[in-house]
Amino acid sequence: MEITLYSLGVILGCGVVTWLPRVIPFMLIRKINIPEVVLRFLSYVPLCILTALLVQNLLLVQEGQLPKINSEYWYASCPTVLAAILTKNLMWIVIVGIVSMSLVRYFA
């Protein structure tokens, strides 16, 4: 497969368009003093996003029925949440989550 100049330009353009919105806010925010209240509020954003992702995977939703718990994800999330409470270390949380999910899928 041959890459034309047009294809290369599209790939590079998509990369720049993807990269800019992620970098520009960090460059702009460096020069602004943000109030402590806003910083405290923003510190909860990662927790909210991760909670939303977790709940989305734990519940199986079917139209016209109450949500059901996805047992595979439930079994893997129990030791992961326990590791989060005990260690408060993101690396250990990820490792325990991956190992838990692997074990659940292997034995189930």
Side-chain angles (χ1 to χ4, degrees):
M1 183 170 105
E2 185 179 328
I3 295 180
T4 64
L5 190 59
Y6 175 76
S7 298
L8 184 61
V10 168
I11 292 171
L12 291 175
C14 288
V16 168
V17 168
T18 302
W19 180 73
L20 280 178
R22 294 184 172 126
V23 172
I24 289 175
F26 291 111
M27 291 171 30
L28 294 176
I29 208 143
R30 220 184 304 159
K31 300 178 192 293
I32 300 172
N33 275 339
I34 300 174
E36 184 64 32
V37 174
V38 175
L39 288 175
R40 204 171 7 178
F41 172 76
L42 290 176
S43 71
Y44 291 106
V45 171
L47 179 65
C48 293
I49 291 171
L50 290 175
T51 303
L53 290 172
L54 176 69
V55 171
Q56 178 184 4
N57 285 320
L58 282 180
L59 299 177
L60 296 172
V61 180
Q62 295 177 351
E63 191 173 328
Q65 296 180 359
L66 291 174
K68 297 178 184 173
I69 293 177
N70 186 341
S71 59
E72 187 178 63
Y73 288 106
W74 173 256
Y75 295 140
S77 67
C78 288
T80 307
V81 169
L82 185 65
I85 292 169
L86 294 176
T87 66
K88 294 178 181 60
N89 183 332
L90 185 60
M91 183 60 73
W92 282 111
I93 297 167
V94 171
I95 290 171
V96 169
I98 290 171
V99 169
S100 299
M101 195 65 198
S102 300
L103 292 173
V104 166
R105 287 190 175 167
Y106 183 75
F107 290 112

XYZ file of all heavy atoms in Angstrom:
855
model
N 0.842 -1.175 0.000
C 0.000 0.000 0.000
C 0.888 1.239 0.000
O 1.797 1.363 0.807
C -0.898 -0.021 1.236
C -1.848 1.130 1.277
S -3.059 0.922 2.574
C -2.452 2.086 3.757
N 0.597 2.116 -0.881
C 1.381 3.339 -1.016
C 0.682 4.492 -0.302
O -0.520 4.656 -0.398
C 1.523 3.673 -2.508
C 2.415 4.850 -2.760
C 2.539 5.127 -4.257
O 2.481 4.173 -5.040
O 2.664 6.315 -4.601
N 1.461 5.267 0.441
C 0.914 6.431 1.133
C 1.154 7.650 0.263
O 2.288 7.973 -0.075
C 1.577 6.622 2.503
C 1.237 5.451 3.411
C 1.125 7.925 3.143
C 1.836 5.542 4.784
N 0.073 8.309 -0.099
C 0.188 9.518 -0.901
C 0.408 10.714 0.009
O 0.242 10.637 1.228
C -1.091 9.739 -1.734
O -2.179 9.965 -0.847
C -1.379 8.536 -2.621
N 0.791 11.810 -0.594
C 0.999 13.038 0.164
C -0.307 13.499 0.809
O -0.314 13.990 1.937
C 1.563 14.123 -0.763
C 2.067 15.388 -0.099
C 3.178 15.046 0.890
C 2.573 16.358 -1.139
N -1.421 13.280 0.126
C -2.732 13.644 0.664
C -3.036 12.824 1.920
O -3.478 13.365 2.942
C -3.816 13.423 -0.393
C -5.214 13.669 0.121
C -5.687 14.965 0.301
C -6.050 12.609 0.438
C -6.967 15.205 0.784
C -7.324 12.832 0.926
C -7.783 14.126 1.085
O -9.044 14.349 1.574
N -2.813 11.505 1.863
C -3.071 10.635 3.018
C -2.189 11.017 4.199
O -2.652 11.059 5.347
C -2.820 9.170 2.658
O -3.681 8.747 1.648
N -0.933 11.309 3.930
C -0.026 11.717 4.993
C -0.482 13.038 5.611
O -0.450 13.204 6.831
C 1.400 11.848 4.439
C 2.487 12.172 5.453
C 2.586 11.069 6.495
C 3.807 12.366 4.747
N -0.940 13.961 4.772
C -1.443 15.236 5.279
C -2.681 15.058 6.151
O -2.823 15.708 7.186
N -3.575 14.150 5.744
C -4.780 13.886 6.533
C -4.404 13.282 7.881
O -4.934 13.667 8.928
C -5.747 12.967 5.759
C -6.851 12.440 6.667
C -6.347 13.692 4.577
N -3.470 12.327 7.880
C -3.039 11.692 9.136
C -2.393 12.717 10.057
O -2.699 12.784 11.248
C -2.090 10.513 8.843
C -2.866 9.388 8.161
C -1.432 10.020 10.125
C -1.995 8.264 7.623
N -1.500 13.534 9.528
C -0.855 14.563 10.348
C -1.857 15.608 10.829
O -1.804 16.050 11.984
C 0.274 15.229 9.562
C 1.498 14.353 9.283
C 2.491 15.093 8.403
C 2.139 13.904 10.573
N -2.790 15.996 9.964
C -3.821 16.961 10.362
C -4.701 16.416 11.480
O -5.017 17.131 12.434
N -5.089 15.156 11.379
C -5.893 14.536 12.445
C -5.108 14.483 13.752
O -5.660 14.690 14.831
C -6.321 13.133 12.026
S -7.575 13.098 10.737
N -3.805 14.208 13.643
C -2.973 14.186 14.846
C -2.903 15.547 15.514
O -3.015 15.668 16.732
N -2.733 16.588 14.711
C -2.661 17.947 15.262
C -3.998 18.351 15.873
O -4.043 18.914 16.972
C -2.225 18.948 14.169
C -2.411 20.382 14.617
C -0.780 18.702 13.783
N -5.095 18.043 15.187
C -6.423 18.397 15.696
C -6.720 17.632 16.986
O -7.394 18.138 17.879
C -7.501 18.122 14.622
C -8.894 18.185 15.190
C -7.349 19.093 13.473
N -6.228 16.421 17.120
C -6.415 15.652 18.347
C -5.518 16.175 19.465
O -5.908 16.216 20.628
C -6.098 14.168 18.084
O -6.948 13.701 17.037
C -6.327 13.327 19.316
N -4.324 16.588 19.126
C -3.326 17.006 20.113
C -3.598 18.405 20.673
O -3.451 18.639 21.870
C -1.947 16.951 19.449
C -0.820 17.338 20.315
C -0.277 16.622 21.337
C -0.068 18.555 20.236
N 0.757 17.305 21.883
C 0.913 18.503 21.230
C -0.138 19.677 19.418
C 1.813 19.530 21.428
C 0.769 20.685 19.617
C 1.734 20.610 20.609
N -4.001 19.327 19.819
C -4.178 20.725 20.239
C -5.165 20.913 21.393
O -4.840 21.609 22.356
C -4.578 21.592 19.047
C -3.431 22.007 18.133
C -3.960 22.827 16.964
C -2.371 22.778 18.887
N -6.375 20.342 21.342
C -7.299 20.579 22.458
C -6.808 20.000 23.790
O -7.274 20.391 24.849
C -8.586 19.873 22.030
C -8.461 19.618 20.592
C -7.012 19.604 20.267
N -5.872 19.091 23.737
C -5.340 18.519 24.974
C -4.171 19.316 25.523
O -3.895 19.271 26.715
C -4.918 17.086 24.714
C -6.106 16.215 24.401
C -5.719 14.778 24.248
N -6.933 13.986 24.144
C -7.192 13.150 23.180
N -6.320 12.971 22.226
N -8.301 12.469 23.159
N -3.476 20.041 24.672
C -2.282 20.766 25.096
C -2.566 22.239 25.379
O -2.029 22.795 26.345
C -1.175 20.622 24.021
C 0.000 21.507 24.331
C -0.735 19.175 23.930
N -3.404 22.865 24.590
C -3.666 24.301 24.738
C -4.184 24.658 26.135
O -3.707 25.635 26.725
C -4.615 24.802 23.629
C -3.872 24.815 22.298
C -5.155 26.185 23.944
C -4.726 25.178 21.115
N -5.134 23.909 26.713
C -5.582 24.282 28.065
C -4.455 24.284 29.095
O -4.412 25.151 29.970
C -6.626 23.211 28.409
C -7.125 22.749 27.087
C -5.948 22.832 26.174
N -3.520 23.348 29.004
C -2.403 23.323 29.943
C -1.475 24.514 29.740
O -0.935 25.062 30.703
C -1.612 22.015 29.813
C -2.371 20.825 30.304
C -2.814 19.860 29.428
C -2.654 20.677 31.644
C -3.511 18.770 29.873
C -3.353 19.592 32.111
C -3.788 18.626 31.217
N -1.294 24.937 28.509
C -0.448 26.091 28.242
C -1.111 27.373 28.752
O -0.436 28.249 29.293
C -0.155 26.190 26.738
C 0.742 25.073 26.258
S 0.967 24.912 24.459
C 0.819 26.513 23.816
N -2.418 27.492 28.597
C -3.130 28.691 29.042
C -3.272 28.748 30.559
O -3.175 29.807 31.160
C -4.514 28.742 28.394
C -4.546 28.936 26.884
C -5.984 28.876 26.377
C -3.887 30.245 26.494
N -3.499 27.616 31.180
C -3.776 27.595 32.615
C -2.522 27.866 33.447
O -2.608 28.248 34.608
C -4.439 26.265 33.000
C -5.309 26.463 34.215
C -3.453 25.193 33.323
C -6.549 25.669 34.182
N -1.373 27.666 32.837
C -0.115 27.918 33.540
C 0.033 29.387 33.931
O 0.640 29.714 34.942
C 1.049 27.517 32.638
C 2.144 26.830 33.398
C 3.330 26.513 32.561
N 3.013 25.702 31.394
C 3.769 25.626 30.327
N 4.890 26.323 30.263
N 3.452 24.872 29.312
N -0.546 30.279 33.158
C -0.385 31.716 33.379
C -1.510 32.319 34.233
O -1.473 33.495 34.542
C -0.334 32.426 32.034
C 0.817 31.961 31.179
C 0.782 32.652 29.848
C 1.664 32.085 28.861
N 2.861 31.960 28.642
N -2.503 31.509 34.603
C -3.661 32.018 35.340
C -3.634 31.474 36.762
O -3.344 30.306 36.974
C -4.970 31.586 34.644
C -5.035 32.112 33.220
C -6.176 32.030 35.437
C -6.192 31.581 32.419
N -3.954 32.338 37.722
C -4.129 31.881 39.094
C -5.559 31.397 39.271
O -6.507 32.170 39.129
C -3.855 33.015 40.098
C -2.384 33.122 40.401
O -1.637 32.178 40.200
N -1.981 34.271 40.897
N -5.710 30.123 39.595
C -7.031 29.537 39.763
C -7.376 29.548 41.247
O -6.550 29.156 42.076
C -7.056 28.101 39.212
C -6.704 28.126 37.729
C -8.405 27.452 39.431
C -6.566 26.766 37.115
N -8.597 29.975 41.600
C -8.993 29.974 43.010
C -8.987 28.557 43.597
O -9.216 27.573 42.887
C -10.419 30.537 42.986
C -10.556 31.218 41.676
C -9.620 30.549 40.739
N -8.753 28.477 44.887
C -8.681 27.192 45.580
C -9.987 26.416 45.461
O -9.978 25.185 45.353
C -8.334 27.425 47.054
C -8.137 26.165 47.849
C -6.958 25.337 47.365
O -5.966 25.914 46.881
O -7.034 24.102 47.471
N -11.114 27.118 45.457
C -12.415 26.453 45.345
C -12.523 25.713 44.017
O -12.999 24.576 43.960
C -13.547 27.491 45.484
C -14.898 26.861 45.239
C -13.494 28.165 46.822
N -12.072 26.327 42.941
C -12.129 25.701 41.620
C -11.193 24.501 41.570
O -11.541 23.444 41.027
C -11.785 26.725 40.523
C -11.721 26.068 39.157
C -12.793 27.858 40.517
N -10.000 24.630 42.122
C -9.058 23.508 42.145
C -9.621 22.329 42.934
O -9.479 21.171 42.530
C -7.724 23.944 42.741
C -6.882 24.859 41.877
C -5.634 25.309 42.643
C -6.483 24.162 40.591
N -10.260 22.626 44.054
C -10.859 21.560 44.859
C -11.982 20.887 44.075
O -12.118 19.664 44.094
C -11.383 22.127 46.165
C -11.490 21.121 47.254
C -11.805 21.774 48.557
N -12.079 23.196 48.325
C -12.427 24.056 49.233
N -12.549 23.682 50.463
N -12.658 25.317 48.949
N -12.803 21.677 43.377
C -13.877 21.123 42.563
C -13.311 20.243 41.446
O -13.804 19.144 41.205
C -14.717 22.252 41.966
C -15.737 21.786 40.969
C -16.896 21.167 41.387
C -15.517 21.961 39.611
C -17.835 20.732 40.467
C -16.437 21.531 38.689
C -17.604 20.916 39.116
N -12.279 20.705 40.768
C -11.694 19.947 39.664
C -11.006 18.667 40.132
O -10.840 17.730 39.350
C -10.705 20.831 38.895
C -11.328 21.966 38.086
C -10.235 22.816 37.457
C -12.268 21.430 37.034
N -10.615 18.603 41.393
C -9.966 17.388 41.886
C -10.934 16.207 41.936
O -10.509 15.056 41.972
C -9.366 17.629 43.268
O -10.386 17.754 44.242
N -12.245 16.484 41.922
C -13.240 15.406 41.942
C -13.582 14.875 40.557
O -14.238 13.837 40.444
C -14.524 15.868 42.627
C -14.352 16.093 44.099
C -14.310 17.372 44.624
C -14.210 15.022 44.961
C -14.149 17.581 45.978
C -14.037 15.211 46.315
C -14.013 16.499 46.818
O -13.842 16.701 48.150
N -13.167 15.542 39.520
C -13.526 15.132 38.162
C -13.017 13.728 37.827
O -13.795 12.903 37.335
C -13.048 16.176 37.128
C -13.203 15.667 35.710
C -13.811 17.474 37.318
N -11.745 13.375 38.078
C -11.317 12.014 37.755
C -12.103 10.948 38.515
O -12.458 9.913 37.948
C -9.840 11.988 38.172
C -9.419 13.403 38.179
C -10.628 14.189 38.554
N -12.413 11.203 39.769
C -13.189 10.254 40.555
C -14.581 10.068 39.963
O -15.079 8.935 39.859
C -13.282 10.732 42.002
C -14.076 9.854 42.945
C -13.404 8.500 43.103
C -14.219 10.533 44.282
N -15.203 11.138 39.538
C -16.540 11.049 38.944
C -16.513 10.284 37.626
O -17.400 9.467 37.353
C -17.104 12.447 38.712
S -17.447 13.330 40.231
N -15.509 10.532 36.821
C -15.408 9.846 35.537
C -15.189 8.358 35.744
O -15.831 7.513 35.103
C -14.283 10.463 34.684
C -14.678 11.869 34.250
C -13.970 9.597 33.469
C -13.568 12.638 33.591
N -14.288 7.988 36.652
C -14.028 6.571 36.907
C -15.247 5.885 37.507
O -15.534 4.726 37.177
C -12.812 6.415 37.819
C -11.482 6.774 37.161
C -10.361 6.708 38.184
C -11.189 5.853 35.996
N -15.981 6.565 38.372
C -17.194 5.996 38.936
C -18.240 5.763 37.858
O -18.902 4.716 37.834
C -17.764 6.911 40.037
O -16.759 7.104 41.031
C -18.998 6.315 40.660
N -18.389 6.702 36.953
C -19.349 6.544 35.858
C -18.976 5.360 34.978
O -19.843 4.580 34.573
C -19.415 7.821 35.033
N -17.693 5.196 34.688
C -17.256 4.059 33.883
C -17.486 2.741 34.606
O -17.888 1.741 34.005
C -15.772 4.209 33.523
C -15.440 5.321 32.535
C -13.941 5.485 32.429
C -16.051 5.019 31.182
N -17.237 2.708 35.906
C -17.438 1.495 36.687
C -18.912 1.105 36.729
O -19.274 -0.048 36.457
C -16.913 1.688 38.113
C -17.153 0.523 39.068
C -16.303 -0.666 38.655
C -16.846 0.925 40.486
N -19.782 2.059 37.031
C -21.210 1.760 37.117
C -21.759 1.353 35.759
O -22.605 0.460 35.664
C -21.978 2.975 37.696
C -23.474 2.784 37.605
C -21.556 3.192 39.133
N -21.261 1.955 34.706
C -21.712 1.614 33.354
C -21.410 0.149 33.045
O -22.199 -0.532 32.401
C -21.028 2.521 32.331
C -21.396 2.212 30.905
C -20.622 3.061 29.918
O -19.753 3.837 30.297
N -20.915 2.904 28.654
N -20.271 -0.361 33.511
C -19.925 -1.757 33.259
C -20.576 -2.715 34.243
O -20.775 -3.880 33.928
C -18.408 -1.942 33.293
C -17.745 -1.414 32.051
O -18.263 -1.590 30.958
N -16.631 -0.761 32.217
N -20.879 -2.260 35.454
C -21.471 -3.150 36.450
C -22.942 -3.441 36.175
O -23.446 -4.481 36.574
C -21.336 -2.546 37.853
C -19.974 -2.655 38.509
C -20.002 -2.006 39.879
C -19.532 -4.087 38.623
N -23.629 -2.545 35.521
C -25.060 -2.716 35.294
C -25.349 -3.087 33.848
O -24.830 -2.477 32.917
C -25.808 -1.431 35.654
C -25.696 -0.979 37.099
C -26.423 0.338 37.289
C -26.236 -2.026 38.040
N -26.185 -4.111 33.679
C -26.665 -4.502 32.359
C -28.073 -3.940 32.210
O -28.976 -4.295 32.961
C -26.700 -6.022 32.221
C -25.366 -6.743 32.299
C -25.585 -8.242 32.336
C -24.507 -6.362 31.119
N -28.263 -3.056 31.259
C -29.547 -2.381 31.089
C -30.223 -2.926 29.840
O -29.630 -2.974 28.764
C -29.352 -0.851 30.960
C -30.672 -0.158 30.782
C -28.612 -0.318 32.162
N -31.479 -3.368 30.040
C -32.306 -3.806 28.919
C -33.598 -3.011 28.956
O -34.148 -2.764 30.033
C -32.583 -5.301 29.005
C -31.337 -6.143 28.846
C -31.624 -7.626 29.010
O -32.709 -8.020 29.398
N -30.631 -8.436 28.709
N -34.059 -2.640 27.802
C -35.245 -1.796 27.728
C -36.452 -2.502 28.323
O -36.708 -3.677 28.061
C -35.527 -1.435 26.262
C -36.557 -0.356 26.114
C -36.701 0.092 24.677
O -35.704 0.058 23.944
O -37.820 0.477 24.312
N -37.170 -1.789 29.178
C -38.374 -2.324 29.791
C -38.121 -3.174 31.027
O -39.050 -3.747 31.574
N -36.865 -3.281 31.474
C -36.526 -4.080 32.653
C -35.652 -3.270 33.593
O -35.013 -2.307 33.180
C -35.775 -5.354 32.252
C -36.571 -6.305 31.404
C -35.746 -7.531 31.051
O -34.595 -7.656 31.414
N -36.369 -8.444 30.317
N -35.627 -3.695 34.840
C -34.713 -3.079 35.789
C -33.276 -3.495 35.467
O -33.048 -4.583 34.937
C -35.067 -3.510 37.215
C -36.378 -2.963 37.771
C -36.666 -3.594 39.120
C -36.325 -1.462 37.890
N -32.310 -2.654 35.771
C -30.921 -3.027 35.503
C -30.518 -4.261 36.317
O -30.937 -4.450 37.452
C -30.120 -1.809 35.953
C -31.087 -0.694 36.003
C -32.416 -1.296 36.282
N -29.697 -5.108 35.707
C -29.160 -6.293 36.376
C -27.665 -6.092 36.576
O -27.011 -5.378 35.820
C -29.408 -7.536 35.534
C -30.866 -7.854 35.341
C -31.033 -9.058 34.464
C -32.517 -9.293 34.223
N -32.743 -10.348 33.258
N -27.131 -6.741 37.585
C -25.702 -6.625 37.868
C -24.941 -7.616 37.010
O -25.290 -8.797 36.944
C -25.418 -6.864 39.362
C -26.026 -5.738 40.191
C -23.929 -6.970 39.621
C -25.864 -5.902 41.679
N -23.900 -7.152 36.352
C -23.009 -8.003 35.574
C -22.077 -8.706 36.559
O -21.163 -8.089 37.110
C -22.225 -7.153 34.581
C -21.387 -7.980 33.640
O -21.102 -9.129 33.891
N -20.996 -7.364 32.542
N -22.317 -9.969 36.795
C -21.596 -10.691 37.846
C -20.094 -10.770 37.573
O -19.291 -10.718 38.506
C -22.172 -12.093 38.022
O -22.090 -12.821 36.820
N -19.708 -10.880 36.321
C -18.282 -10.954 35.989
C -17.544 -9.708 36.469
O -16.506 -9.785 37.130
C -18.135 -11.123 34.477
C -16.737 -11.380 34.013
C -16.682 -11.581 32.510
O -17.015 -10.632 31.769
O -16.313 -12.687 32.082
N -18.092 -8.548 36.163
C -17.471 -7.293 36.588
C -17.612 -7.075 38.098
O -16.757 -6.468 38.721
C -18.058 -6.106 35.820
C -17.609 -6.051 34.386
C -18.458 -6.393 33.347
C -16.310 -5.668 34.067
C -18.042 -6.351 32.034
C -15.888 -5.626 32.765
C -16.753 -5.964 31.750
O -16.328 -5.923 30.460
N -18.713 -7.551 38.674
C -18.923 -7.409 40.107
C -17.845 -8.167 40.879
O -17.262 -7.659 41.818
C -20.319 -7.895 40.485
C -20.548 -7.927 41.956
C -20.563 -9.022 42.744
C -20.749 -6.810 42.818
N -20.770 -8.664 44.050
C -20.891 -7.312 44.118
C -20.829 -5.440 42.617
C -21.104 -6.490 45.211
C -21.046 -4.630 43.708
C -21.179 -5.148 44.975
N -17.591 -9.422 40.469
C -16.577 -10.229 41.162
C -15.184 -9.616 41.025
O -14.388 -9.666 41.949
C -16.553 -11.658 40.631
C -17.823 -12.423 40.896
C -18.353 -13.278 39.932
C -18.520 -12.288 42.090
C -19.514 -13.983 40.165
C -19.690 -12.987 42.321
C -20.176 -13.831 41.367
O -21.330 -14.520 41.595
N -14.891 -9.033 39.880
C -13.576 -8.426 39.685
C -13.458 -7.083 40.401
O -12.364 -6.694 40.827
C -13.300 -8.244 38.192
N -14.573 -6.385 40.568
C -14.498 -5.062 41.188
C -14.358 -5.129 42.706
O -13.832 -4.197 43.314
C -15.721 -4.223 40.816
O -16.885 -4.760 41.392
N -14.826 -6.196 43.330
C -14.742 -6.299 44.802
C -13.301 -6.226 45.311
O -12.985 -5.380 46.147
C -15.444 -7.554 45.284
S -17.236 -7.446 45.147
N -12.376 -7.089 44.831
C -10.993 -6.952 45.308
C -10.330 -5.651 44.840
O -9.460 -5.108 45.533
C -10.271 -8.167 44.732
C -11.165 -8.756 43.734
C -12.537 -8.252 43.981
N -10.760 -5.121 43.714
C -10.183 -3.878 43.219
C -10.565 -2.710 44.118
O -9.717 -1.874 44.455
C -10.645 -3.618 41.771
O -10.353 -4.763 40.981
C -9.972 -2.408 41.199
N -11.821 -2.642 44.518
C -12.255 -1.582 45.431
C -11.566 -1.740 46.782
O -11.146 -0.751 47.397
C -13.798 -1.585 45.572
C -14.252 -0.686 46.697
C -14.449 -1.179 44.269
N -11.411 -2.971 47.237
C -10.705 -3.217 48.493
C -9.251 -2.746 48.403
O -8.740 -2.108 49.327
C -10.767 -4.703 48.847
C -10.188 -5.097 50.176
C -10.987 -4.470 51.306
C -10.172 -6.600 50.313
N -8.602 -3.021 47.275
C -7.225 -2.545 47.080
C -7.180 -1.023 47.047
O -6.236 -0.414 47.555
C -6.649 -3.122 45.785
N -8.193 -0.399 46.468
C -8.238 1.068 46.420
C -8.364 1.655 47.816
O -7.707 2.645 48.146
C -9.405 1.514 45.543
N -9.196 1.037 48.641
C -9.396 1.546 50.001
C -8.136 1.349 50.838
O -7.732 2.243 51.582
C -10.603 0.848 50.651
C -11.887 1.281 49.948
C -10.672 1.151 52.147
C -13.108 0.477 50.324
N -7.504 0.186 50.697
C -6.348 -0.128 51.536
C -5.067 0.586 51.105
O -4.305 1.056 51.939
C -6.110 -1.638 51.564
C -7.198 -2.476 52.232
C -6.887 -3.952 52.092
C -7.361 -2.090 53.683
N -4.808 0.647 49.791
C -3.515 1.167 49.341
C -3.557 2.623 48.897
O -2.570 3.326 49.037
C -2.966 0.330 48.171
O -3.819 0.485 47.043
C -2.837 -1.124 48.550
N -4.675 3.046 48.288
C -4.781 4.390 47.702
C -3.644 4.662 46.707
O -3.181 5.778 46.556
C -4.814 5.464 48.791
C -6.054 5.395 49.642
C -6.028 6.435 50.715
C -7.235 6.391 51.590
N -7.474 5.161 52.306
N -3.204 3.600 46.045
C -2.115 3.663 45.079
C -2.675 3.210 43.736
O -3.086 2.057 43.591
C -0.970 2.759 45.532
C 0.227 2.830 44.619
O 0.102 3.106 43.438
N 1.381 2.582 45.178
N -2.678 4.099 42.749
C -3.291 3.807 41.465
C -2.660 2.593 40.779
O -3.363 1.789 40.165
C -3.213 5.035 40.550
C -3.928 4.914 39.218
C -5.406 4.654 39.419
C -3.723 6.164 38.401
N -1.349 2.430 40.921
C -0.685 1.292 40.278
C -1.203 -0.028 40.839
O -1.499 -0.959 40.099
C 0.833 1.403 40.453
C 1.590 0.292 39.755
S 1.328 0.243 37.980
C 2.252 1.644 37.478
N -1.336 -0.108 42.164
C -1.837 -1.341 42.782
C -3.301 -1.571 42.429
O -3.725 -2.723 42.246
C -1.640 -1.321 44.292
C -0.237 -1.634 44.669
C 0.675 -0.774 45.209
C 0.435 -2.874 44.504
N 1.867 -1.420 45.391
C 1.747 -2.715 44.968
C 0.055 -4.113 44.005
C 2.682 -3.745 44.951
C 0.990 -5.144 43.985
C 2.278 -4.957 44.453
N -4.071 -0.529 42.335
C -5.475 -0.667 41.977
C -5.599 -1.258 40.575
O -6.385 -2.183 40.340
C -6.201 0.692 42.067
C -6.187 1.196 43.499
C -7.617 0.591 41.545
C -6.603 2.646 43.655
N -4.821 -0.746 39.639
C -4.865 -1.243 38.266
C -4.393 -2.690 38.205
O -5.020 -3.536 37.543
C -4.020 -0.343 37.341
C -3.863 -0.956 35.971
C -4.646 1.039 37.237
N -3.317 -3.005 38.896
C -2.795 -4.376 38.882
C -3.814 -5.349 39.463
O -4.089 -6.408 38.890
C -1.449 -4.450 39.636
C -0.370 -3.735 38.828
C -1.044 -5.899 39.901
C 0.937 -3.547 39.565
N -4.392 -5.002 40.619
C -5.391 -5.881 41.239
C -6.610 -6.023 40.329
O -7.161 -7.122 40.187
C -5.787 -5.348 42.642
C -6.994 -6.089 43.181
C -4.629 -5.461 43.597
N -7.025 -4.950 39.684
C -8.163 -5.020 38.770
C -7.898 -5.928 37.583
O -8.752 -6.740 37.209
N -6.724 -5.823 36.994
C -6.382 -6.655 35.836
C -6.284 -8.118 36.242
O -6.820 -9.003 35.568
C -5.067 -6.163 35.193
C -5.285 -4.816 34.524
C -4.550 -7.177 34.181
C -4.014 -4.141 34.046
N -5.609 -8.384 37.361
C -5.473 -9.766 37.830
C -6.837 -10.343 38.206
O -7.157 -11.492 37.861
C -4.479 -9.844 39.014
C -4.514 -11.197 39.677
C -3.077 -9.519 38.542
N -7.668 -9.554 38.875
C -9.003 -10.021 39.260
C -9.840 -10.365 38.038
O -10.480 -11.420 37.984
C -9.732 -8.954 40.083
O -9.045 -8.673 41.253
N -9.845 -9.488 37.061
C -10.633 -9.742 35.854
C -10.092 -10.951 35.104
O -10.871 -11.757 34.577
C -10.621 -8.496 34.960
C -11.660 -8.514 33.909
S -13.279 -8.463 34.681
C -14.270 -9.012 33.349
N -8.782 -11.112 35.074
C -8.189 -12.272 34.415
C -8.608 -13.559 35.101
O -8.964 -14.538 34.436
C -6.661 -12.165 34.423
O -6.233 -11.025 33.760
N -8.564 -13.570 36.423
C -8.957 -14.757 37.166
C -10.446 -15.073 37.000
O -10.816 -16.241 36.834
C -8.608 -14.600 38.645
C -7.118 -14.588 38.980
C -6.891 -14.242 40.452
C -6.478 -15.925 38.641
N -11.263 -14.049 37.028
C -12.704 -14.274 36.846
C -12.979 -14.860 35.470
O -13.747 -15.812 35.321
C -13.489 -12.954 37.061
C -14.917 -13.068 36.561
C -13.471 -12.564 38.522
N -12.348 -14.317 34.436
C -12.585 -14.823 33.087
C -11.979 -16.203 32.877
O -12.496 -16.998 32.095
C -12.037 -13.841 32.057
C -12.892 -12.604 31.967
C -12.515 -11.737 30.815
N -13.456 -10.620 30.714
C -13.252 -9.575 29.967
N -12.161 -9.471 29.257
N -14.143 -8.615 29.928
N -10.891 -16.501 33.562
C -10.260 -17.816 33.408
C -11.097 -18.911 34.072
O -11.252 -19.989 33.527
C -8.842 -17.785 34.000
C -8.098 -19.081 33.807
C -7.591 -19.427 32.564
C -7.917 -19.949 34.868
C -6.917 -20.623 32.388
C -7.240 -21.154 34.706
C -6.745 -21.485 33.464
O -6.081 -22.668 33.301
N -11.596 -18.616 35.275
C -12.307 -19.640 36.019
C -13.814 -19.656 35.785
O -14.509 -20.553 36.233
C -12.029 -19.490 37.525
C -10.617 -19.861 37.882
C -9.721 -18.897 38.310
C -10.175 -21.171 37.774
C -8.424 -19.242 38.642
C -8.878 -21.523 38.086
C -8.003 -20.559 38.522
N -14.335 -18.626 35.128
C -15.793 -18.588 34.917
C -16.171 -19.111 33.557
O -15.476 -19.244 32.655
C -16.293 -17.161 35.057
